[in-house]
């Protein structure tokens, strides 16, 4: 069985940055009070030094409307190639700051915002984490698959992964 290692403050921020960068795309979940939940894939633009997670979003999107009604969100990251996973619960804020949009801009974003960095429909979503949990196998996919196969054959778990709570 893996180890549990809870992380707080700067260690939690470092882990969020690492796993969000490796996975890059998350399921961005809104409308947490109602089922079914509203989920969509979103590309992470940046995790800043305070642990805030930034996204570009269309100001008229359903997710922006959901956030205006209820700012609570849940983000689910999966870096399946390295068997690393991250769940972040927090609050989202819609921001209209042209300078920050320019800072967050990537060429990839042009697929959604055809007028470029100055597209009038662009907004930023800033997610401030309140709670999180991570699973980190500390191995690459091949090593993890070998360990799973060994566990099936021997009946013994051989996992040196780490998991734990994140508090920013």
């Amino acid at each position: 069985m893996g180890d549990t290692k809870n992380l707080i403050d700067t260690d939690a921020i470092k882990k969020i940055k690492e796993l969000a960068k490796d996975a890059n795309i998350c399921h961005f979940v809104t409308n947490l009070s109602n089922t079914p939940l509203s989920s969509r894939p979103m590309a992470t633009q940046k995790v800043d030094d305070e642990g805030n997670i930034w996204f570009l979003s269309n100001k008229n999107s359903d997710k922006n409307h959901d956030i205006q009604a209820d700012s609570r969100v849940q983000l689910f990251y999966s870096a399946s190639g390295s068997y690393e996973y991250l769940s972040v619960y927090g609050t989202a804020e819609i921001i209209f700051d042209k300078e920050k949009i320019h800072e967050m801009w990537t060429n990839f974003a042009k697929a959604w915002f055809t007028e470029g960095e100055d597209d009038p429909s662009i907004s930023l979503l800033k997610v401030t984490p309140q709670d999180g949990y991570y699973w980190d196998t500390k191995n690459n996919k091949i090593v993890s698959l070998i360990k799973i196969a060994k566990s099936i054959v021997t009946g013994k778990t051989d996992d040196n992964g780490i998991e734990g709570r994140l508090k920013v």
Side-chain angles (χ1 to χ4, degrees):
M1 185 132 130
D3 295 328
T4 299
K5 184 175 181 183
N6 297 326
L7 302 174
I8 59 170
D9 298 328
T10 56
D11 289 333
I13 292 169
K14 182 178 174 186
K15 181 56 77 174
I16 290 170
K17 280 184 172 185
E18 173 190 323
L19 295 179
K21 180 181 180 215
D22 288 348
N24 186 36
I25 304 290
C26 73
H27 277 276
F28 192 109
V29 182
T30 57
N31 204 21
L32 299 183
S33 297
N34 300 307
T35 54
L37 301 172
S38 298
S39 176
R40 76 283 292 154
M42 294 280 293
T44 303
Q45 298 307 119
K46 180 181 182 177
V47 179
D48 67 24
D49 292 338
E50 289 81 42
N52 300 306
I53 306 168
W54 293 84
F55 302 88
L56 294 173
S57 178
N58 187 302
K59 69 180 182 181
N60 298 313
S61 68
D62 288 342
K63 81 183 122 345
N64 281 43
H65 292 293
D66 288 348
I67 290 166
Q68 288 172 341
D70 181 352
S71 65
R72 297 172 305 143
V73 298
Q74 186 88 33
L75 311 177
F76 295 102
Y77 289 90
S78 173
S80 57
S82 57
Y83 284 92
E84 296 173 315
Y85 307 93
L86 172 66
S87 171
V88 175
Y89 170 81
T91 55
E93 179 182 355
I94 301 167
I95 297 174
F96 297 97
D97 178 333
K98 289 294 183 190
E99 187 174 313
K100 195 77 169 168
I101 289 168
H102 289 289
E103 176 187 330
M104 299 291 167
W105 183 259
T106 64
N107 286 335
F108 184 69
K110 190 155 175 106
W112 285 271
F113 303 103
T114 56
E115 295 182 38
E117 298 175 53
D118 295 313
D119 191 314
S121 65
I122 298 177
S123 70
L124 289 167
L125 300 180
K126 174 185 169 186
V127 175
T128 302
Q130 294 177 353
D131 193 26
Y133 206 86
Y134 74 98
W135 298 264
D136 183 351
T137 64
K138 297 178 66 176
N139 295 307
N140 66 30
K141 187 175 184 177
I142 300 297
V143 173
S144 293
L145 290 173
I146 290 169
K147 287 185 176 203
I148 290 167
K150 181 180 173 187
S151 295
I152 291 169
V153 171
T154 65
K156 295 180 182 176
T157 301
D158 185 18
D159 180 20
N160 66 345
I162 298 174
E163 62 182 90
R165 287 211 163 285
L166 298 168
K167 277 289 190 193
V168 177

